[in-house]
Amino acid sequence: MEQSATHAVTEANHRAAEAPASLRADHRAPDRLVLQRGIFTGPSAKVSDELYAVVKGRAERERQALRLDKGAAAHTNTYFGRFAASYWQRWTTVTEVRASMVLDVAKQARVRIVASDIAGHRRIIQTADVDASGPLSLSAPLDQYVDGGALWLEFDAVGGELGISELTWTSVAPDHVRPVAIAICTFNRAEDCANTVAALASDATVLAAIDAVYVVDQGTDLVENRPHFQEVRPIFGDKLRYIRQPNLGGAGGFTRGLYEVSAVNEHADVILMDDDILCEPETVVRLNAFANMTVEPTLVGAQMLFLLNPDYLNVGAEEVHLNELKHGQKVPKALRNTSMLKRNQERRVDAGYNAWWTCLIPAEVVARIGLPVPIFFQWDDVEYGVRAREAGFVTVTLPNAAVWHADFYWKDYDDWARYFSTRNSLIVGSLHTDLDGKAITRKLFRELAEHLVAMQYGLVHTTLQGIEDFLKGPKVLRDGGIAALSAARSTRGDYPETVKHAAATPPVRSGDIQLRRASGEPSRANLVLVKRAITQWTGRTQRGLIGVTREDAYWWHVSLFDHVVVTDASQSGVRIRRRDKARARALLLRTWRVLRRLRRELPALQREYRAAMPELTSRANWERLYGIDAE
């Protein structure tokens, strides 16, 4: 024990010597803390300006300035323009906010601070008629927003041109501001990662607010070799740390950031950030400010907007249903797959956890619950959020703070990632609830049966592979997932329907393909599943080569046929499915054996995983995986 404590002190001293100086201590707070800034145009031409401000009439926009011609009007009742009053009143110590700006007034202008309630009803809080240039501040109490509502500004260029700049929403500052680091995990997305790092460097305010950026590179296409990364590297000075390590998945990459920062300063927060996002630098300011003002230490997550459809919100807030092995579930009343040009989330919705496309982890959480579980990929963020809540730390998914991430519905479900999703859902469920073996095996059998009748034999294999490795117990996590990744990818090659082909040159005659559209979802799905299974088993399927679009690729439709060309979810190709009775029979027998074993052994496995939790999440275990010398 004494040797371990000595090692911990030595390690902490070593890390502190390597770390940026500003990361080592709390910072003196200003008189007023900037909670968010007024931004009028996005970080990319892909992004609609109306996510930031809506203008009627002629106007000129800059990133942090807006100029209206005479007679024009603008408002910030937009996704990034609003101030999420409900969230700030519910979770922070802020009781009043001040919107301050500098105006360039040609003759006369009108500025209003406006509020909404849970139903979206508009009310004016304060109005200023201005006839001279200079600074202006409007204030609003945070006293009537507990269940919903937001604040925004409205501008009218009444008598001539109006310029707005240096817009900030501020509050009385806390006693001190905690240091914060950003940890970016990357694997062979060097260009994307370089662009994300460059986005952080592009904003002087963001650059000043963060104390370190850890880029954890687990790939072979190295970020440090990208010219763009080398160009911006000097801008960070000593704040940028570039680390190379074996590929341990998102869990290993993000944990490295938590590991490094927590060794340097027990009071430093960490913002975990994906490499392949389109980064909105302002989101860093908002997450950090919110975390510094919460009543208790709180995980603060950004929302996700779709990268290919940039005005669409993935979901307002998510939760997990552990007993059903389902994560990414929409919190009741939250918006999902919604254009934020058309709607705003008025109601406050409280998250169960936040995914790690961008999420701030307070220092107290790491100190209390330790590091993440080494489950490589998927469910790592879910598990950590659930474990944090069990220890008393809530998660807030903050509206009006977001990044753009690849749209999930463009990813095909039949993929090697299904291995980790299956295995890790069982691990996380075992760690944090008492799974019902009978209910779980019934659920899994139903899903596997649907895949079988839909001739997705590789998907069935990958799912079973995940269950089988779960049955091995905690030792399956010994290497951090490297062997599991290799096995999950390589064995799928035995199943032809897992291969994606160019749509223009599929390995079948295009002239033989006959398109068949699906009818509505069956009202008696269980009965239809049995009928489709019998049809597939007896070979009484419709003959010929059938084409099925992605939107029609439901199991109850595809299973009507024995040879199908299905559009891949990525819309970049097609997959060929063909009925194979022998393979279906072998997989069905394997399913029966695996699920019978799961039902029998689940209680003991849950105890094993829980007993292994302290060791799995320990610094010593992660040091072993990272190859860090513990002597």
Side-chain angles (χ1 to χ4, degrees), residues 44 65 85 115 142 197 209 255 277 370 378 381 388 411 417 447-448 483 558 613:
S44 165
L142 296 187
V197 173
T255 298
I277 59 171
Q378 295 202 356
D381 44 12
K411 298 180 180 180
E447 293 174 357
L448 290 163
V558 176
M613 184 74 155

Side-chain angles (χ1 to χ4, degrees), residues 348-606:
R348 195 193 80 246
V349 288
D350 296 338
Y353 72 95
N354 200 96
W356 286 352
W357 41 70
T358 298
C359 183
L360 182 147
I361 310 294
E364 291 88 347
V365 174
V366 181
R368 177 83 61 82
I369 72 173
L371 296 169
V373 179
I375 53 180
F376 191 81
F377 176 70
Q378 295 202 356
W379 284 80
D380 48 338
D381 44 12
V382 180
E383 189 283 324
Y384 205 73
V386 171
R387 184 160 29 119
R389 182 171 289 272
E390 290 175 349
F393 301 105
V394 301
T395 296
V396 173
T397 296
L398 186 63
N400 321 122
V403 296
W404 289 268
H405 186 280
D407 314 29
F408 291 139
Y409 60 84
W410 288 78
K411 298 180 180 180
D412 204 283
Y413 188 88
D414 188 355
D415 185 72
W416 59 265
R418 198 53 41 198
Y419 163 85
F420 288 103
S421 180
T422 302
R423 188 199 70 177
N424 295 348
S425 67
L426 287 164
I427 292 173
V428 175
S430 295
L431 290 172
H432 297 291
T433 192
D434 293 323
L435 293 175
D436 182 333
K438 185 177 180 180
I440 290 297
T441 52
R442 281 182 174 176
K443 172 189 179 296
L444 290 170
F445 181 79
R446 170 59 186 267
E447 293 174 357
L448 290 163
E450 291 177 2
H451 301 331
L452 277 174
V453 300
M455 298 169 286
Q456 293 180 287
Y457 307 121
L459 179 56
V460 173
H461 161 74
T462 300
T463 304
L464 289 173
Q465 200 174 15
I467 301 171
E468 289 163 345
D469 278 4
F470 167 76
L471 290 169
K472 294 177 181 177
K475 66 181 181 182
V476 76
L477 303 178
R478 180 69 184 168
D479 72 343
I482 297 173
L485 173 64
S486 176
R489 282 179 159 168
S490 62
T491 58
R492 285 175 58 81
D494 297 334
Y495 298 88
E497 80 282 352
T498 65
V499 178
K500 183 172 63 177
H501 306 278
T505 56
V508 293
R509 292 200 338 167
S510 294
D512 293 338
I513 301 174
Q514 304 175 59
L515 187 66
R516 291 285 188 273
R517 300 305 307 270
S519 55
E521 183 174 353
S523 58
R524 303 175 68 182
N526 289 338
L527 178 60
V528 171
L529 180 57
V530 172
K531 291 175 64 176
R532 294 291 191 273
I534 294 171
T535 298
Q536 282 278 318
W537 188 262
T538 59
R540 293 201 296 268
T541 48
Q542 297 181 33
R543 304 301 181 184
L545 186 59
I546 306 300
V548 176
T549 64
R550 170 61 181 172
E551 64 181 335
D552 287 338
Y554 302 107
W555 63 264
W556 65 82
H557 179 58
V558 176
S559 56
L560 290 168
F561 317 107
D562 67 355
H563 198 184
V564 186
V565 180
V566 181
T567 306
D568 189 80
S570 66
Q571 296 293 311
S572 61
V574 296
R575 303 198 195 195
I576 314 297
R577 303 186 200 173
R578 192 160 199 169
R579 189 175 71 90
D580 186 332
K581 183 177 177 179
R583 176 154 274 178
R585 183 179 183 277
L587 287 169
L588 182 60
L589 289 173
R590 181 179 164 196
T591 296
W592 182 78
R593 288 193 297 267
V594 169
L595 295 184
R596 183 178 64 171
R597 185 182 165 200
L598 175 63
R599 183 170 175 177
R600 182 176 65 249
E601 298 179 16
L602 186 57
L605 284 162
Q606 291 184 109

Side-chain angles (χ1 to χ4, degrees), residues 278-289:
L278 172 58
C279 178
E280 171 49 81
E282 172 65 14
T283 289
V284 173
V285 173
R286 299 181 185 187
L287 296 186
N288 194 34

